[in-house]
């Protein structure tokens, strides 16, 4: 079995596949990213969750890791070596070939998840294209026709924006993102003018991000000068795809797919 680990700024996802060509995981589990979590803590947590799904850690034969939090790598690597007897493949390290050119000024600075997404999106959907990833940050990544990573945009994530409003403005309440009460296709016009503080905040965050998505996608396309497909990924991509045609395809498993592809190409 292949263990895939995608460590983001907010959450870390562990997924087990029968092989690197499998599309559906045998099991997947999510935990908060904590830089101080030890390898033994990961092992106890993961072993118990795998057992609940009828999986044995002894069946793991290979591991691939992508992390954007460098402080977590030591514990994740130790988890693999100590508890699985495996030296993991790590995105960004020497000897791991991504299979695509990275065409930015400092390739070593690009987040592991962004180049992994580029690998998966190009192989699955072709190019050129734009990947909009709704994570801790909201990122827009440009992939050339030949699969090369061409750069992108980093904006504050939705939850970061909500937290900033709550912490910086004394009279504003803490809220969570939600869709408008109307549904797409309703005959009534969509309302953006809030009649109270909470409604105004809901509208500002939701429609503000819709406007950002549509505006930045339009600007990227104009600058690139060619038609480009747009792929949405991340937990909130499906929510926003209901309300804007700018997101043409939603693929929440893009990073996991990219990691499996990179593992397969490097293993062979």
């Amino acid at each position: 079995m292949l263990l895939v680990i995608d460590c983001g700024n907010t959450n870390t996802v562990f997924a087990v596949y029968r092989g690197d060509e499998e599309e559906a995981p045998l099991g997947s589990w999510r935990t908060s990213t904590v830089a101080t979590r030890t390898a033994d803590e990961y092992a106890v947590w993961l072993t118990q969750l795998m057992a609940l799904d009828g999986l044995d850690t002894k069946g793991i034969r290979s591991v691939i890791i992508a992390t954007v939090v460098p402080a977590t790598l030591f514990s994740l690597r130790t988890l693999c070596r100590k508890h699985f007897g495996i030296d993991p493949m790590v995105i960004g390290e020497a000897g791991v070939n991504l299979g695509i050119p990275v065409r930015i000024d400092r390739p070593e600075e690009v987040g592991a998840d962004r180049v992994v997404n580029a690998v998966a999106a190009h192989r699955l959907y072709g190019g050129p294209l734009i990947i909009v990833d709704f994570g801790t940050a909201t990122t827009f990544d440009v992939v050339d026709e030949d699969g090369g990573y061409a750069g992108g945009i980093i904006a504050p994530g939705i939850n970061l924006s909500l937290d900033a409003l709550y912490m910086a403005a004394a009279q504003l309440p803490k809220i969570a993102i939600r869709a408008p009460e109307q549904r797409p296709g309703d005959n009534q016009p969509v309302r953006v003018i809030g009649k109270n503080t909470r409604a105004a905040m809901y509208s500002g965050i939701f429609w503000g991000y819709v406007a950002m998505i549509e505006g930045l996608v339009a600007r990227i396309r104009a600058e690139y000068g060619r038609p480009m497909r747009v792929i949405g990924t991340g937990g909130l991509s499906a929510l926003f795809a209901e309300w804007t045609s700018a997101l043409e395809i939603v693929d929440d498993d893009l990073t996991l797919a990219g990691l499996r592809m990179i593992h397969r190409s490097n293993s062979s």
Side-chain angles (χ1 to χ4, degrees), residues 38-87:
T38 67
D40 293 336
E41 290 172 326
Y42 278 123
V44 170
W45 174 84
L46 183 59
T47 300
Q48 291 180 349
L49 287 174
M50 288 183 65
L52 288 174
D53 284 350
L55 301 172
D56 189 345
T57 56
K58 293 180 180 178
I60 295 176
R61 294 289 181 264
S62 53
V63 183
I64 184 167
I65 300 172
T67 180
V68 297
V69 185
T72 65
L73 183 56
F74 176 80
S75 291
L76 291 172
R77 194 194 301 273
T78 303
L79 164 72
C80 300
R81 290 174 172 172
K82 178 180 177 181
H83 295 281
F84 305 141
I86 297 168
D87 199 23

Side-chain angles (χ1 to χ4, degrees), residues 1-5 15-22 59-66 80 86-92 95-99 115-116 119-120 123 254-268:
M1 294 188 297
L2 168 66
L3 173 62
V4 173
I5 304 175
V16 172
Y17 296 84
R18 196 176 306 279
D20 52 26
E21 295 184 4
E22 297 289 326
I60 295 176
R61 294 289 181 264
S62 53
V63 183
I64 184 167
I65 300 172
C80 300
I86 297 168
D87 199 23
M89 190 181 296
V90 180
I91 301 298
V96 178
N97 182 16
L98 298 175
V115 291
V116 169
V119 170
R123 293 191 189 177
L254 202 61
T255 308
L256 297 179
L259 285 169
R260 297 198 313 278
M261 293 173 184
I262 293 169
H263 180 270
R264 180 166 64 247
S265 63
N266 280 268
S267 298
S268 61

Side-chain angles (χ1 to χ4, degrees), residues 241-254:
E242 287 189 78
W243 292 91
T244 174
S245 60
L247 298 176
E248 301 170 48
I249 299 170
V250 173
D251 189 337
D252 286 337
D253 296 325
L254 202 61

Side-chain angles (χ1 to χ4, degrees), residues 132-135 138 140 156-159 161-162 176-180 183-184 201-214 230-250 252:
V132 185
D133 189 350
F134 296 86
T138 300
F140 297 73
I158 293 168
N159 288 326
S161 297
L162 288 170
I177 186 68
R178 73 176 188 187
R183 304 306 304 161
M201 292 176 68
Y202 285 129
S203 184
I205 289 294
F206 188 85
W207 293 113
Y209 270 84
V210 168
M212 181 181 74
I213 294 164
E214 294 174 343
V230 182
I231 316 298
T233 191
L236 294 172
S237 55
L239 171 64
F240 282 98
E242 287 189 78
W243 292 91
T244 174
S245 60
L247 298 176
E248 301 170 48
I249 299 170
V250 173
D252 286 337

Side-chain angles (χ1 to χ4, degrees), residues 189-228:
V190 176
R191 298 175 180 174
V192 299
I193 301 173
K195 296 297 185 179
N196 55 67
T197 299
R198 285 183 177 273
M201 292 176 68
Y202 285 129
S203 184
I205 289 294
F206 188 85
W207 293 113
Y209 270 84
V210 168
M212 181 181 74
I213 294 164
E214 294 174 343
L216 289 180
V217 164
R219 286 179 177 272
I220 291 171
R221 282 172 165 163
E223 182 175 327
Y224 201 81
R226 295 180 57 190
M228 306 173 76

